[in-house]
Amino acid sequence: MATKRAVILPHPMKTIITEMDSYAFLRPMAQMIEFRCLKGKVLLSTMELHKSQQYPEVRALQASIYTYLSGENFEPAEEITEEELSMLVRG
Protein backbone atom coordinates (compact mmCIF):
# COMPACT_ATOMS: atom_id res chain seq x y z
CA MET A 1 0.00 0.00 0.00
CA ALA A 2 2.82 2.39 0.75
CA THR A 3 4.36 2.62 -2.69
CA LYS A 4 3.90 6.34 -3.34
CA ARG A 5 6.39 9.01 -2.37
CA ALA A 6 6.04 10.50 1.08
CA VAL A 7 5.72 14.24 1.65
CA ILE A 8 8.64 16.16 3.06
CA LEU A 9 7.50 17.77 6.30
CA PRO A 10 8.16 21.45 7.07
CA HIS A 11 9.73 20.46 10.41
CA PRO A 12 10.12 17.25 12.44
CA MET A 13 6.67 16.00 13.48
CA LYS A 14 5.19 12.84 14.95
CA THR A 15 3.83 10.79 12.05
CA ILE A 16 1.54 7.78 11.72
CA ILE A 17 3.52 6.25 8.83
CA THR A 18 7.08 7.46 8.29
CA GLU A 19 9.24 6.94 5.23
CA MET A 20 12.99 6.82 5.57
CA ASP A 21 14.77 9.41 3.49
CA SER A 22 18.22 8.99 2.02
CA TYR A 23 20.94 8.70 4.63
CA ALA A 24 22.56 11.73 3.01
CA PHE A 25 19.59 14.04 3.72
CA LEU A 26 17.59 12.54 6.63
CA ARG A 27 14.65 14.85 5.94
CA PRO A 28 11.46 14.40 8.00
CA MET A 29 8.98 12.60 5.72
CA ALA A 30 5.55 10.99 6.12
CA GLN A 31 3.11 8.82 4.20
CA MET A 32 0.39 9.42 6.79
CA ILE A 33 0.22 12.21 9.33
CA GLU A 34 -2.42 14.04 11.33
CA PHE A 35 -2.33 17.65 12.46
CA ARG A 36 -4.36 20.71 13.24
CA CYS A 37 -4.41 23.68 10.89
CA LEU A 38 -6.37 26.87 11.47
CA LYS A 39 -9.54 25.60 13.20
CA GLY A 40 -9.61 22.18 11.54
CA LYS A 41 -8.13 18.72 11.86
CA VAL A 42 -6.41 16.99 8.94
CA LEU A 43 -5.29 13.45 8.22
CA LEU A 44 -2.97 13.51 5.21
CA SER A 45 -2.06 10.32 3.35
CA THR A 46 0.03 9.83 0.21
CA MET A 47 -0.85 6.15 -0.11
CA GLU A 48 -3.66 6.59 -2.69
CA LEU A 49 -5.84 3.97 -1.02
CA HIS A 50 -8.76 4.91 -3.27
CA LYS A 51 -6.83 3.45 -6.23
CA SER A 52 -6.38 0.00 -4.65
CA GLN A 53 -9.92 -0.89 -3.63
CA GLN A 54 -9.62 -4.36 -5.21
CA TYR A 55 -7.56 -5.47 -2.18
CA PRO A 56 -9.50 -6.38 0.98
CA GLU A 57 -6.68 -5.16 3.23
CA VAL A 58 -6.87 -1.71 1.63
CA ARG A 59 -10.63 -1.57 2.10
CA ALA A 60 -10.21 -2.65 5.75
CA LEU A 61 -7.55 0.00 6.39
CA GLN A 62 -9.67 2.69 4.76
CA ALA A 63 -12.71 1.68 6.82
CA SER A 64 -10.61 1.83 9.99
CA ILE A 65 -9.34 5.28 9.05
CA TYR A 66 -12.90 6.55 8.50
CA THR A 67 -13.97 5.11 11.86
CA TYR A 68 -11.01 6.80 13.55
CA LEU A 69 -11.73 10.14 11.87
CA SER A 70 -15.37 10.12 12.98
CA GLY A 71 -14.55 9.15 16.57
CA GLU A 72 -13.54 11.09 19.65
CA ASN A 73 -9.91 9.87 19.50
CA PHE A 74 -9.09 11.96 16.42
CA GLU A 75 -7.38 14.83 18.25
CA PRO A 76 -4.12 15.63 16.47
CA ALA A 77 -1.34 16.94 18.72
CA GLU A 78 0.77 18.43 15.92
CA GLU A 79 -0.06 21.82 14.42
CA ILE A 80 1.03 23.45 11.19
CA THR A 81 0.37 26.80 9.58
CA GLU A 82 -1.77 27.38 6.53
CA GLU A 83 1.37 28.14 4.52
CA GLU A 84 3.00 24.85 5.61
CA LEU A 85 -0.14 22.91 4.63
CA SER A 86 -0.14 24.60 1.24
CA MET A 87 3.49 23.52 0.71
CA LEU A 88 2.63 19.91 1.64
CA VAL A 89 -0.23 19.54 -0.84
CA ARG A 90 1.51 21.32 -3.69
CA GLY A 91 4.52 19.01 -3.52
Side-chain angles (χ1 to χ4, degrees):
M1 285 182 264
T3 60
K4 300 299 177 190
R5 182 87 172 138
V7 292
I8 298 172
L9 301 172
H11 51 81
M13 301 170 71
K14 182 180 177 188
T15 63
I16 298 170
I17 300 175
T18 301
E19 180 175 303
M20 297 302 293
D21 193 9
S22 154
Y23 70 89
F25 297 108
L26 297 176
R27 296 173 291 194
M29 300 176 74
Q31 287 206 354
M32 186 177 289
I33 187 167
E34 63 183 12
F35 49 82
R36 290 177 284 115
C37 185
L38 299 174
K39 295 182 180 183
K41 299 182 276 188
V42 177
L43 185 131
L44 176 69
S45 170
T46 63
M47 295 191 302
E48 296 184 349
L49 297 176
H50 64 286
K51 292 184 177 180
S52 300
Q53 291 296 302
Q54 69 271 28
Y55 301 107
E57 59 271 25
V58 171
R59 292 192 306 270
L61 176 59
Q62 194 168 26
S64 294
I65 290 170
Y66 289 148
T67 299
Y68 171 66
L69 292 175
S70 64
E72 295 176 7
N73 292 329
F74 181 49
E75 286 297 329
E78 299 286 349
E79 186 167 0
I80 66 172
T81 66
E82 184 177 8
E83 292 79 22
E84 291 171 329
L85 176 58
S86 180
M87 286 174 33
L88 285 178
V89 296
R90 279 191 211 145

